[in-house]
Structure formats: structure tokens, C-alpha cells
Amino acid sequence: MASPATSIPDTRLGLSADEVQLLRQHQQIALSQAGGSSRAASAASSQGRLLLDPSSLQTLGYHFDRLMQAIQQRLQVLTQQTQISTQAQYDRAGNAIQVADAEIARFREILRQIDELEVEFDKVRRIREIVRGFRARIEALDRRVR
């Protein structure tokens, strides 16, 4: 059993019940990973206490350092994946804009060609009216001559 000098009641730490539970869990993990006995931590935990001797605190400190390093590495990986994903989306959006711009240019060219054809159709209509007028005159002259 842990002596009163090396443990402290968990209520004196000012932590919530969830935080105390998490601290206990990590203290047991840290001691078991360090090759030490987690029995002392379990015994203290069953009495509502946490181990605070220098060795236990040092082991817990190393454990949290490793945990923080693992979290930082995971955060870096996620940050890189986010950047890659964001760049891919940006590239796709850029490509979509380029495709849209090309289609708009193609559409404008088609509209320009349609406008040219309409002008040509107007010319043909005017020529057809002129030809009809000439034909009507010729037919009238032909009737007069006969």
C-alpha cells in the first residue's frame, strides 16, 4: 500500500472526476510501460489517492512527454493531409475554371458565327427581294413586248 507521504488524495488536485480518472489511467500505463509495478498505483487509486513520489512523477512526466510527442506527430500528419487535400481541391477548382473559361470562349465564338450568318441571311434576303423585283419587271416588259 502507498504510504501517505508518497500519495495524495485525488480530491486535493482540483480536477474533475473525469480528469482524475484519466490521470489514474495514465499513471498506471506509465508505470507498466516503464517496467515498474502498477500495483502501487492501483493500491493508491483504490484508496482515492494518486502517487506523487519523485520516481512515479518522473515516469508519469516521461509518459506524458511521449504522449504529447505522439499527438504532435499525428497533428503534423493530419495537417499535411489537410494541405494536400486543400491543394487538390484548389487545383480541381482551377481546372474547372479553366474548362469553364474555355467553354465560355467557345460559346462566344459560336455566337459570333451565328451573328455573321444572320448578317449573311439578311444580305441574301435583300438580294432575293432585288431579284424578285427584277424578275417582276422583266416579266412585265416581256408581257408588253408580246
PDB file of all heavy atoms in Angstrom, residues 69-108:
ATOM      1  N   GLN A  69       4.262  14.012 -27.745  1.00  0.00           N
ATOM      2  CA  GLN A  69       5.017  13.873 -28.991  1.00  0.00           C
ATOM      3  C   GLN A  69       4.200  13.090 -30.021  1.00  0.00           C
ATOM      4  O   GLN A  69       4.155  13.461 -31.191  1.00  0.00           O
ATOM      5  CB  GLN A  69       6.354  13.184 -28.730  1.00  0.00           C
ATOM      6  CG  GLN A  69       7.237  13.125 -29.954  1.00  0.00           C
ATOM      7  CD  GLN A  69       8.587  12.470 -29.649  1.00  0.00           C
ATOM      8  OE1 GLN A  69       8.726  11.743 -28.678  1.00  0.00           O
ATOM      9  NE2 GLN A  69       9.558  12.741 -30.490  1.00  0.00           N
ATOM     10  N   ALA A  70       3.540  12.032 -29.574  1.00  0.00           N
ATOM     11  CA  ALA A  70       2.700  11.246 -30.486  1.00  0.00           C
ATOM     12  C   ALA A  70       1.539  12.094 -31.016  1.00  0.00           C
ATOM     13  O   ALA A  70       1.200  12.030 -32.209  1.00  0.00           O
ATOM     14  CB  ALA A  70       2.177  10.004 -29.780  1.00  0.00           C
ATOM     15  N   ILE A  71       0.957  12.896 -30.144  1.00  0.00           N
ATOM     16  CA  ILE A  71      -0.144  13.767 -30.566  1.00  0.00           C
ATOM     17  C   ILE A  71       0.360  14.792 -31.568  1.00  0.00           C
ATOM     18  O   ILE A  71      -0.283  15.053 -32.585  1.00  0.00           O
ATOM     19  CB  ILE A  71      -0.799  14.442 -29.344  1.00  0.00           C
ATOM     20  CG1 ILE A  71      -1.557  13.408 -28.514  1.00  0.00           C
ATOM     21  CG2 ILE A  71      -1.731  15.574 -29.766  1.00  0.00           C
ATOM     22  CD1 ILE A  71      -2.033  13.914 -27.159  1.00  0.00           C
ATOM     23  N   GLN A  72       1.537  15.385 -31.308  1.00  0.00           N
ATOM     24  CA  GLN A  72       2.099  16.373 -32.221  1.00  0.00           C
ATOM     25  C   GLN A  72       2.411  15.754 -33.581  1.00  0.00           C
ATOM     26  O   GLN A  72       2.159  16.362 -34.626  1.00  0.00           O
ATOM     27  CB  GLN A  72       3.356  17.007 -31.621  1.00  0.00           C
ATOM     28  CG  GLN A  72       3.058  17.962 -30.493  1.00  0.00           C
ATOM     29  CD  GLN A  72       4.304  18.459 -29.776  1.00  0.00           C
ATOM     30  OE1 GLN A  72       5.375  17.864 -29.891  1.00  0.00           O
ATOM     31  NE2 GLN A  72       4.163  19.539 -29.030  1.00  0.00           N
ATOM     32  N   GLN A  73       2.950  14.536 -33.577  1.00  0.00           N
ATOM     33  CA  GLN A  73       3.240  13.862 -34.842  1.00  0.00           C
ATOM     34  C   GLN A  73       1.953  13.592 -35.612  1.00  0.00           C
ATOM     35  O   GLN A  73       1.892  13.791 -36.827  1.00  0.00           O
ATOM     36  CB  GLN A  73       4.004  12.558 -34.590  1.00  0.00           C
ATOM     37  CG  GLN A  73       5.433  12.771 -34.168  1.00  0.00           C
ATOM     38  CD  GLN A  73       6.127  11.481 -33.768  1.00  0.00           C
ATOM     39  OE1 GLN A  73       5.497  10.442 -33.587  1.00  0.00           O
ATOM     40  NE2 GLN A  73       7.440  11.550 -33.610  1.00  0.00           N
ATOM     41  N   ARG A  74       0.932  13.142 -34.896  1.00  0.00           N
ATOM     42  CA  ARG A  74      -0.357  12.876 -35.544  1.00  0.00           C
ATOM     43  C   ARG A  74      -0.941  14.176 -36.092  1.00  0.00           C
ATOM     44  O   ARG A  74      -1.491  14.194 -37.190  1.00  0.00           O
ATOM     45  CB  ARG A  74      -1.321  12.229 -34.543  1.00  0.00           C
ATOM     46  CG  ARG A  74      -2.669  11.900 -35.109  1.00  0.00           C
ATOM     47  CD  ARG A  74      -2.576  10.803 -36.156  1.00  0.00           C
ATOM     48  NE  ARG A  74      -3.906  10.507 -36.642  1.00  0.00           N
ATOM     49  CZ  ARG A  74      -4.178  10.200 -37.890  1.00  0.00           C
ATOM     50  NH1 ARG A  74      -3.206  10.065 -38.760  1.00  0.00           N
ATOM     51  NH2 ARG A  74      -5.409   9.975 -38.249  1.00  0.00           N
ATOM     52  N   LEU A  75      -0.800  15.260 -35.331  1.00  0.00           N
ATOM     53  CA  LEU A  75      -1.281  16.556 -35.777  1.00  0.00           C
ATOM     54  C   LEU A  75      -0.540  17.007 -37.035  1.00  0.00           C
ATOM     55  O   LEU A  75      -1.142  17.535 -37.972  1.00  0.00           O
ATOM     56  CB  LEU A  75      -1.122  17.596 -34.663  1.00  0.00           C
ATOM     57  CG  LEU A  75      -1.623  19.001 -34.967  1.00  0.00           C
ATOM     58  CD1 LEU A  75      -3.110  18.995 -35.261  1.00  0.00           C
ATOM     59  CD2 LEU A  75      -1.307  19.924 -33.807  1.00  0.00           C
ATOM     60  N   GLN A  76       0.780  16.771 -37.084  1.00  0.00           N
ATOM     61  CA  GLN A  76       1.551  17.124 -38.277  1.00  0.00           C
ATOM     62  C   GLN A  76       1.085  16.327 -39.485  1.00  0.00           C
ATOM     63  O   GLN A  76       0.943  16.868 -40.578  1.00  0.00           O
ATOM     64  CB  GLN A  76       3.037  16.898 -38.033  1.00  0.00           C
ATOM     65  CG  GLN A  76       3.678  17.926 -37.134  1.00  0.00           C
ATOM     66  CD  GLN A  76       5.137  17.590 -36.819  1.00  0.00           C
ATOM     67  OE1 GLN A  76       5.601  16.492 -37.072  1.00  0.00           O
ATOM     68  NE2 GLN A  76       5.844  18.571 -36.255  1.00  0.00           N
ATOM     69  N   VAL A  77       0.845  15.039 -39.279  1.00  0.00           N
ATOM     70  CA  VAL A  77       0.366  14.192 -40.382  1.00  0.00           C
ATOM     71  C   VAL A  77      -0.990  14.696 -40.871  1.00  0.00           C
ATOM     72  O   VAL A  77      -1.220  14.833 -42.078  1.00  0.00           O
ATOM     73  CB  VAL A  77       0.284  12.713 -39.934  1.00  0.00           C
ATOM     74  CG1 VAL A  77      -0.485  11.876 -40.939  1.00  0.00           C
ATOM     75  CG2 VAL A  77       1.677  12.139 -39.730  1.00  0.00           C
ATOM     76  N   LEU A  78      -1.889  14.981 -39.939  1.00  0.00           N
ATOM     77  CA  LEU A  78      -3.213  15.474 -40.320  1.00  0.00           C
ATOM     78  C   LEU A  78      -3.126  16.831 -41.004  1.00  0.00           C
ATOM     79  O   LEU A  78      -3.859  17.101 -41.966  1.00  0.00           O
ATOM     80  CB  LEU A  78      -4.125  15.549 -39.093  1.00  0.00           C
ATOM     81  CG  LEU A  78      -4.531  14.204 -38.498  1.00  0.00           C
ATOM     82  CD1 LEU A  78      -5.303  14.404 -37.205  1.00  0.00           C
ATOM     83  CD2 LEU A  78      -5.337  13.383 -39.480  1.00  0.00           C
ATOM     84  N   THR A  79      -2.213  17.677 -40.539  1.00  0.00           N
ATOM     85  CA  THR A  79      -2.024  18.983 -41.164  1.00  0.00           C
ATOM     86  C   THR A  79      -1.532  18.812 -42.601  1.00  0.00           C
ATOM     87  O   THR A  79      -2.029  19.470 -43.523  1.00  0.00           O
ATOM     88  CB  THR A  79      -1.028  19.836 -40.349  1.00  0.00           C
ATOM     89  OG1 THR A  79      -1.560  20.019 -39.031  1.00  0.00           O
ATOM     90  CG2 THR A  79      -0.787  21.193 -40.989  1.00  0.00           C
ATOM     91  N   GLN A  80      -0.560  17.915 -42.805  1.00  0.00           N
ATOM     92  CA  GLN A  80      -0.052  17.659 -44.155  1.00  0.00           C
ATOM     93  C   GLN A  80      -1.154  17.099 -45.049  1.00  0.00           C
ATOM     94  O   GLN A  80      -1.296  17.515 -46.199  1.00  0.00           O
ATOM     95  CB  GLN A  80       1.121  16.681 -44.109  1.00  0.00           C
ATOM     96  CG  GLN A  80       2.388  17.276 -43.542  1.00  0.00           C
ATOM     97  CD  GLN A  80       3.494  16.228 -43.355  1.00  0.00           C
ATOM     98  OE1 GLN A  80       3.230  15.035 -43.318  1.00  0.00           O
ATOM     99  NE2 GLN A  80       4.718  16.703 -43.212  1.00  0.00           N
ATOM    100  N   GLN A  81      -1.941  16.164 -44.518  1.00  0.00           N
ATOM    101  CA  GLN A  81      -3.034  15.595 -45.310  1.00  0.00           C
ATOM    102  C   GLN A  81      -4.059  16.661 -45.662  1.00  0.00           C
ATOM    103  O   GLN A  81      -4.583  16.683 -46.778  1.00  0.00           O
ATOM    104  CB  GLN A  81      -3.691  14.442 -44.553  1.00  0.00           C
ATOM    105  CG  GLN A  81      -2.828  13.214 -44.461  1.00  0.00           C
ATOM    106  CD  GLN A  81      -3.434  12.130 -43.589  1.00  0.00           C
ATOM    107  OE1 GLN A  81      -4.373  12.360 -42.830  1.00  0.00           O
ATOM    108  NE2 GLN A  81      -2.888  10.930 -43.688  1.00  0.00           N
ATOM    109  N   THR A  82      -4.315  17.553 -44.722  1.00  0.00           N
ATOM    110  CA  THR A  82      -5.262  18.652 -44.980  1.00  0.00           C
ATOM    111  C   THR A  82      -4.724  19.567 -46.068  1.00  0.00           C
ATOM    112  O   THR A  82      -5.466  19.973 -46.971  1.00  0.00           O
ATOM    113  CB  THR A  82      -5.525  19.434 -43.681  1.00  0.00           C
ATOM    114  OG1 THR A  82      -6.063  18.553 -42.699  1.00  0.00           O
ATOM    115  CG2 THR A  82      -6.488  20.584 -43.916  1.00  0.00           C
ATOM    116  N   GLN A  83      -3.431  19.883 -45.987  1.00  0.00           N
ATOM    117  CA  GLN A  83      -2.828  20.743 -47.004  1.00  0.00           C
ATOM    118  C   GLN A  83      -2.875  20.084 -48.376  1.00  0.00           C
ATOM    119  O   GLN A  83      -3.192  20.737 -49.373  1.00  0.00           O
ATOM    120  CB  GLN A  83      -1.394  21.090 -46.627  1.00  0.00           C
ATOM    121  CG  GLN A  83      -1.287  22.042 -45.464  1.00  0.00           C
ATOM    122  CD  GLN A  83       0.141  22.225 -44.965  1.00  0.00           C
ATOM    123  OE1 GLN A  83       1.021  21.428 -45.250  1.00  0.00           O
ATOM    124  NE2 GLN A  83       0.360  23.286 -44.196  1.00  0.00           N
ATOM    125  N   ILE A  84      -2.590  18.801 -48.427  1.00  0.00           N
ATOM    126  CA  ILE A  84      -2.629  18.073 -49.703  1.00  0.00           C
ATOM    127  C   ILE A  84      -4.045  18.069 -50.263  1.00  0.00           C
ATOM    128  O   ILE A  84      -4.267  18.334 -51.449  1.00  0.00           O
ATOM    129  CB  ILE A  84      -2.097  16.634 -49.520  1.00  0.00           C
ATOM    130  CG1 ILE A  84      -0.586  16.669 -49.255  1.00  0.00           C
ATOM    131  CG2 ILE A  84      -2.419  15.766 -50.727  1.00  0.00           C
ATOM    132  CD1 ILE A  84      -0.006  15.349 -48.781  1.00  0.00           C
ATOM    133  N   SER A  85      -5.010  17.792 -49.402  1.00  0.00           N
ATOM    134  CA  SER A  85      -6.404  17.768 -49.832  1.00  0.00           C
ATOM    135  C   SER A  85      -6.863  19.146 -50.299  1.00  0.00           C
ATOM    136  O   SER A  85      -7.533  19.276 -51.329  1.00  0.00           O
ATOM    137  CB  SER A  85      -7.287  17.286 -48.680  1.00  0.00           C
ATOM    138  OG  SER A  85      -8.643  17.328 -49.041  1.00  0.00           O
ATOM    139  N   THR A  86      -6.480  20.167 -49.548  1.00  0.00           N
ATOM    140  CA  THR A  86      -6.858  21.535 -49.909  1.00  0.00           C
ATOM    141  C   THR A  86      -6.241  21.910 -51.253  1.00  0.00           C
ATOM    142  O   THR A  86      -6.908  22.506 -52.107  1.00  0.00           O
ATOM    143  CB  THR A  86      -6.400  22.524 -48.817  1.00  0.00           C
ATOM    144  OG1 THR A  86      -7.018  22.152 -47.582  1.00  0.00           O
ATOM    145  CG2 THR A  86      -6.767  23.947 -49.161  1.00  0.00           C
ATOM    146  N   GLN A  87      -4.967  21.560 -51.451  1.00  0.00           N
ATOM    147  CA  GLN A  87      -4.305  21.872 -52.723  1.00  0.00           C
ATOM    148  C   GLN A  87      -4.978  21.134 -53.877  1.00  0.00           C
ATOM    149  O   GLN A  87      -5.165  21.697 -54.960  1.00  0.00           O
ATOM    150  CB  GLN A  87      -2.814  21.512 -52.658  1.00  0.00           C
ATOM    151  CG  GLN A  87      -2.035  21.949 -53.886  1.00  0.00           C
ATOM    152  CD  GLN A  87      -2.036  23.451 -54.081  1.00  0.00           C
ATOM    153  OE1 GLN A  87      -1.838  24.204 -53.154  1.00  0.00           O
ATOM    154  NE2 GLN A  87      -2.268  23.895 -55.300  1.00  0.00           N
ATOM    155  N   ALA A  88      -5.352  19.878 -53.638  1.00  0.00           N
ATOM    156  CA  ALA A  88      -6.032  19.108 -54.685  1.00  0.00           C
ATOM    157  C   ALA A  88      -7.366  19.755 -55.041  1.00  0.00           C
ATOM    158  O   ALA A  88      -7.711  19.866 -56.223  1.00  0.00           O
ATOM    159  CB  ALA A  88      -6.236  17.666 -54.223  1.00  0.00           C
ATOM    160  N   GLN A  89      -8.108  20.181 -54.027  1.00  0.00           N
ATOM    161  CA  GLN A  89      -9.392  20.852 -54.288  1.00  0.00           C
ATOM    162  C   GLN A  89      -9.161  22.164 -55.043  1.00  0.00           C
ATOM    163  O   GLN A  89      -9.907  22.491 -55.962  1.00  0.00           O
ATOM    164  CB  GLN A  89     -10.131  21.135 -52.970  1.00  0.00           C
ATOM    165  CG  GLN A  89     -10.684  19.906 -52.301  1.00  0.00           C
ATOM    166  CD  GLN A  89     -11.755  19.229 -53.118  1.00  0.00           C
ATOM    167  OE1 GLN A  89     -12.453  19.847 -53.897  1.00  0.00           O
ATOM    168  NE2 GLN A  89     -11.870  17.927 -52.953  1.00  0.00           N
ATOM    169  N   TYR A  90      -8.131  22.888 -54.634  1.00  0.00           N
ATOM    170  CA  TYR A  90      -7.799  24.148 -55.299  1.00  0.00           C
ATOM    171  C   TYR A  90      -7.441  23.893 -56.764  1.00  0.00           C
ATOM    172  O   TYR A  90      -7.884  24.613 -57.658  1.00  0.00           O
ATOM    173  CB  TYR A  90      -6.640  24.830 -54.564  1.00  0.00           C
ATOM    174  CG  TYR A  90      -6.207  26.130 -55.171  1.00  0.00           C
ATOM    175  CD1 TYR A  90      -6.929  27.296 -54.957  1.00  0.00           C
ATOM    176  CD2 TYR A  90      -5.061  26.204 -55.964  1.00  0.00           C
ATOM    177  CE1 TYR A  90      -6.537  28.496 -55.501  1.00  0.00           C
ATOM    178  CE2 TYR A  90      -4.664  27.400 -56.522  1.00  0.00           C
ATOM    179  CZ  TYR A  90      -5.404  28.544 -56.285  1.00  0.00           C
ATOM    180  OH  TYR A  90      -5.004  29.727 -56.849  1.00  0.00           O
ATOM    181  N   ASP A  91      -6.634  22.850 -56.987  1.00  0.00           N
ATOM    182  CA  ASP A  91      -6.244  22.507 -58.358  1.00  0.00           C
ATOM    183  C   ASP A  91      -7.465  22.112 -59.185  1.00  0.00           C
ATOM    184  O   ASP A  91      -7.605  22.523 -60.336  1.00  0.00           O
ATOM    185  CB  ASP A  91      -5.218  21.372 -58.365  1.00  0.00           C
ATOM    186  CG  ASP A  91      -3.864  21.802 -57.813  1.00  0.00           C
ATOM    187  OD1 ASP A  91      -3.632  23.024 -57.679  1.00  0.00           O
ATOM    188  OD2 ASP A  91      -3.048  20.907 -57.498  1.00  0.00           O
ATOM    189  N   ARG A  92      -8.343  21.300 -58.588  1.00  0.00           N
ATOM    190  CA  ARG A  92      -9.555  20.887 -59.316  1.00  0.00           C
ATOM    191  C   ARG A  92     -10.421  22.102 -59.619  1.00  0.00           C
ATOM    192  O   ARG A  92     -10.979  22.211 -60.716  1.00  0.00           O
ATOM    193  CB  ARG A  92     -10.347  19.863 -58.511  1.00  0.00           C
ATOM    194  CG  ARG A  92      -9.821  18.454 -58.657  1.00  0.00           C
ATOM    195  CD  ARG A  92     -10.804  17.449 -58.084  1.00  0.00           C
ATOM    196  NE  ARG A  92     -10.763  17.445 -56.638  1.00  0.00           N
ATOM    197  CZ  ARG A  92     -10.113  16.581 -55.891  1.00  0.00           C
ATOM    198  NH1 ARG A  92      -9.447  15.611 -56.463  1.00  0.00           N
ATOM    199  NH2 ARG A  92     -10.130  16.664 -54.591  1.00  0.00           N
ATOM    200  N   ALA A  93     -10.536  22.999 -58.652  1.00  0.00           N
ATOM    201  CA  ALA A  93     -11.331  24.206 -58.883  1.00  0.00           C
ATOM    202  C   ALA A  93     -10.693  25.044 -59.986  1.00  0.00           C
ATOM    203  O   ALA A  93     -11.400  25.576 -60.854  1.00  0.00           O
ATOM    204  CB  ALA A  93     -11.456  25.016 -57.593  1.00  0.00           C
ATOM    205  N   GLY A  94      -9.370  25.143 -59.956  1.00  0.00           N
ATOM    206  CA  GLY A  94      -8.665  25.886 -61.006  1.00  0.00           C
ATOM    207  C   GLY A  94      -8.885  25.255 -62.368  1.00  0.00           C
ATOM    208  O   GLY A  94      -9.112  25.961 -63.357  1.00  0.00           O
ATOM    209  N   ASN A  95      -8.824  23.927 -62.428  1.00  0.00           N
ATOM    210  CA  ASN A  95      -9.067  23.228 -63.686  1.00  0.00           C
ATOM    211  C   ASN A  95     -10.502  23.435 -64.146  1.00  0.00           C
ATOM    212  O   ASN A  95     -10.751  23.625 -65.338  1.00  0.00           O
ATOM    213  CB  ASN A  95      -8.766  21.739 -63.542  1.00  0.00           C
ATOM    214  CG  ASN A  95      -7.284  21.466 -63.413  1.00  0.00           C
ATOM    215  OD1 ASN A  95      -6.451  22.279 -63.791  1.00  0.00           O
ATOM    216  ND2 ASN A  95      -6.932  20.323 -62.854  1.00  0.00           N
ATOM    217  N   ALA A  96     -11.432  23.388 -63.201  1.00  0.00           N
ATOM    218  CA  ALA A  96     -12.837  23.599 -63.556  1.00  0.00           C
ATOM    219  C   ALA A  96     -13.038  25.005 -64.109  1.00  0.00           C
ATOM    220  O   ALA A  96     -13.785  25.209 -65.072  1.00  0.00           O
ATOM    221  CB  ALA A  96     -13.733  23.363 -62.342  1.00  0.00           C
ATOM    222  N   ILE A  97     -12.358  25.973 -63.529  1.00  0.00           N
ATOM    223  CA  ILE A  97     -12.462  27.349 -64.011  1.00  0.00           C
ATOM    224  C   ILE A  97     -11.869  27.457 -65.409  1.00  0.00           C
ATOM    225  O   ILE A  97     -12.441  28.105 -66.289  1.00  0.00           O
ATOM    226  CB  ILE A  97     -11.781  28.325 -63.023  1.00  0.00           C
ATOM    227  CG1 ILE A  97     -12.604  28.407 -61.736  1.00  0.00           C
ATOM    228  CG2 ILE A  97     -11.586  29.703 -63.649  1.00  0.00           C
ATOM    229  CD1 ILE A  97     -11.917  29.148 -60.602  1.00  0.00           C
ATOM    230  N   GLN A  98     -10.730  26.804 -65.631  1.00  0.00           N
ATOM    231  CA  GLN A  98     -10.120  26.839 -66.960  1.00  0.00           C
ATOM    232  C   GLN A  98     -11.040  26.194 -67.998  1.00  0.00           C
ATOM    233  O   GLN A  98     -11.196  26.725 -69.106  1.00  0.00           O
ATOM    234  CB  GLN A  98      -8.775  26.129 -66.947  1.00  0.00           C
ATOM    235  CG  GLN A  98      -7.689  26.889 -66.215  1.00  0.00           C
ATOM    236  CD  GLN A  98      -6.391  26.094 -66.111  1.00  0.00           C
ATOM    237  OE1 GLN A  98      -6.363  24.900 -66.346  1.00  0.00           O
ATOM    238  NE2 GLN A  98      -5.327  26.782 -65.740  1.00  0.00           N
ATOM    239  N   VAL A  99     -11.640  25.070 -67.634  1.00  0.00           N
ATOM    240  CA  VAL A  99     -12.568  24.396 -68.556  1.00  0.00           C
ATOM    241  C   VAL A  99     -13.764  25.300 -68.823  1.00  0.00           C
ATOM    242  O   VAL A  99     -14.203  25.450 -69.967  1.00  0.00           O
ATOM    243  CB  VAL A  99     -13.007  23.028 -67.971  1.00  0.00           C
ATOM    244  CG1 VAL A  99     -14.160  22.448 -68.757  1.00  0.00           C
ATOM    245  CG2 VAL A  99     -11.834  22.063 -67.962  1.00  0.00           C
ATOM    246  N   ALA A 100     -14.296  25.912 -67.764  1.00  0.00           N
ATOM    247  CA  ALA A 100     -15.446  26.813 -67.931  1.00  0.00           C
ATOM    248  C   ALA A 100     -15.067  28.003 -68.813  1.00  0.00           C
ATOM    249  O   ALA A 100     -15.848  28.403 -69.696  1.00  0.00           O
ATOM    250  CB  ALA A 100     -15.942  27.281 -66.565  1.00  0.00           C
ATOM    251  N   ASP A 101     -13.885  28.580 -68.597  1.00  0.00           N
ATOM    252  CA  ASP A 101     -13.439  29.699 -69.423  1.00  0.00           C
ATOM    253  C   ASP A 101     -13.320  29.287 -70.885  1.00  0.00           C
ATOM    254  O   ASP A 101     -13.715  30.038 -71.791  1.00  0.00           O
ATOM    255  CB  ASP A 101     -12.099  30.240 -68.918  1.00  0.00           C
ATOM    256  CG  ASP A 101     -12.223  31.040 -67.625  1.00  0.00           C
ATOM    257  OD1 ASP A 101     -13.353  31.432 -67.264  1.00  0.00           O
ATOM    258  OD2 ASP A 101     -11.176  31.270 -66.974  1.00  0.00           O
ATOM    259  N   ALA A 102     -12.786  28.095 -71.116  1.00  0.00           N
ATOM    260  CA  ALA A 102     -12.654  27.603 -72.490  1.00  0.00           C
ATOM    261  C   ALA A 102     -14.034  27.405 -73.121  1.00  0.00           C
ATOM    262  O   ALA A 102     -14.245  27.749 -74.298  1.00  0.00           O
ATOM    263  CB  ALA A 102     -11.866  26.287 -72.514  1.00  0.00           C
ATOM    264  N   GLU A 103     -14.977  26.876 -72.358  1.00  0.00           N
ATOM    265  CA  GLU A 103     -16.326  26.664 -72.881  1.00  0.00           C
ATOM    266  C   GLU A 103     -17.023  27.998 -73.152  1.00  0.00           C
ATOM    267  O   GLU A 103     -17.736  28.147 -74.136  1.00  0.00           O
ATOM    268  CB  GLU A 103     -17.162  25.824 -71.909  1.00  0.00           C
ATOM    269  CG  GLU A 103     -16.766  24.361 -71.887  1.00  0.00           C
ATOM    270  CD  GLU A 103     -16.897  23.705 -73.254  1.00  0.00           C
ATOM    271  OE1 GLU A 103     -17.951  23.864 -73.917  1.00  0.00           O
ATOM    272  OE2 GLU A 103     -15.939  23.039 -73.675  1.00  0.00           O
ATOM    273  N   ILE A 104     -16.792  28.979 -72.282  1.00  0.00           N
ATOM    274  CA  ILE A 104     -17.373  30.312 -72.495  1.00  0.00           C
ATOM    275  C   ILE A 104     -16.799  30.925 -73.769  1.00  0.00           C
ATOM    276  O   ILE A 104     -17.539  31.497 -74.583  1.00  0.00           O
ATOM    277  CB  ILE A 104     -17.122  31.219 -71.269  1.00  0.00           C
ATOM    278  CG1 ILE A 104     -17.979  30.757 -70.094  1.00  0.00           C
ATOM    279  CG2 ILE A 104     -17.390  32.676 -71.599  1.00  0.00           C
ATOM    280  CD1 ILE A 104     -17.625  31.412 -68.768  1.00  0.00           C
ATOM    281  N   ALA A 105     -15.493  30.784 -73.967  1.00  0.00           N
ATOM    282  CA  ALA A 105     -14.860  31.311 -75.183  1.00  0.00           C
ATOM    283  C   ALA A 105     -15.422  30.603 -76.419  1.00  0.00           C
ATOM    284  O   ALA A 105     -15.709  31.251 -77.439  1.00  0.00           O
ATOM    285  CB  ALA A 105     -13.344  31.135 -75.102  1.00  0.00           C
ATOM    286  N   ARG A 106     -15.588  29.291 -76.330  1.00  0.00           N
ATOM    287  CA  ARG A 106     -16.155  28.529 -77.453  1.00  0.00           C
ATOM    288  C   ARG A 106     -17.584  28.988 -77.744  1.00  0.00           C
ATOM    289  O   ARG A 106     -17.973  29.180 -78.898  1.00  0.00           O
ATOM    290  CB  ARG A 106     -16.125  27.036 -77.132  1.00  0.00           C
ATOM    291  CG  ARG A 106     -16.489  26.138 -78.293  1.00  0.00           C
ATOM    292  CD  ARG A 106     -16.294  24.667 -77.948  1.00  0.00           C
ATOM    293  NE  ARG A 106     -17.318  24.162 -77.071  1.00  0.00           N
ATOM    294  CZ  ARG A 106     -18.510  23.719 -77.470  1.00  0.00           C
ATOM    295  NH1 ARG A 106     -18.814  23.719 -78.749  1.00  0.00           N
ATOM    296  NH2 ARG A 106     -19.385  23.265 -76.610  1.00  0.00           N
ATOM    297  N   PHE A 107     -18.369  29.178 -76.690  1.00  0.00           N
ATOM    298  CA  PHE A 107     -19.745  29.627 -76.841  1.00  0.00           C
ATOM    299  C   PHE A 107     -19.796  31.013 -77.493  1.00  0.00           C
ATOM    300  O   PHE A 107     -20.616  31.269 -78.380  1.00  0.00           O
ATOM    301  CB  PHE A 107     -20.433  29.634 -75.476  1.00  0.00           C
ATOM    302  CG  PHE A 107     -21.887  29.986 -75.521  1.00  0.00           C
ATOM    303  CD1 PHE A 107     -22.814  29.099 -76.042  1.00  0.00           C
ATOM    304  CD2 PHE A 107     -22.331  31.207 -75.036  1.00  0.00           C
ATOM    305  CE1 PHE A 107     -24.148  29.418 -76.087  1.00  0.00           C
ATOM    306  CE2 PHE A 107     -23.666  31.540 -75.077  1.00  0.00           C
ATOM    307  CZ  PHE A 107     -24.586  30.646 -75.598  1.00  0.00           C
ATOM    308  N   ARG A 108     -18.899  31.915 -77.056  1.00  0.00           N
ATOM    309  CA  ARG A 108     -18.850  33.262 -77.635  1.00  0.00           C
ATOM    310  C   ARG A 108     -18.490  33.201 -79.127  1.00  0.00           C
ATOM    311  O   ARG A 108     -19.026  33.964 -79.933  1.00  0.00           O
ATOM    312  CB  ARG A 108     -17.851  34.125 -76.880  1.00  0.00           C
ATOM    313  CG  ARG A 108     -18.380  34.570 -75.530  1.00  0.00           C
ATOM    314  CD  ARG A 108     -17.436  35.500 -74.825  1.00  0.00           C
ATOM    315  NE  ARG A 108     -18.017  35.952 -73.571  1.00  0.00           N
ATOM    316  CZ  ARG A 108     -17.335  36.294 -72.510  1.00  0.00           C
ATOM    317  NH1 ARG A 108     -16.016  36.270 -72.550  1.00  0.00           N
ATOM    318  NH2 ARG A 108     -17.937  36.688 -71.423  1.00  0.00           N
TER     319      ARG A 108
END
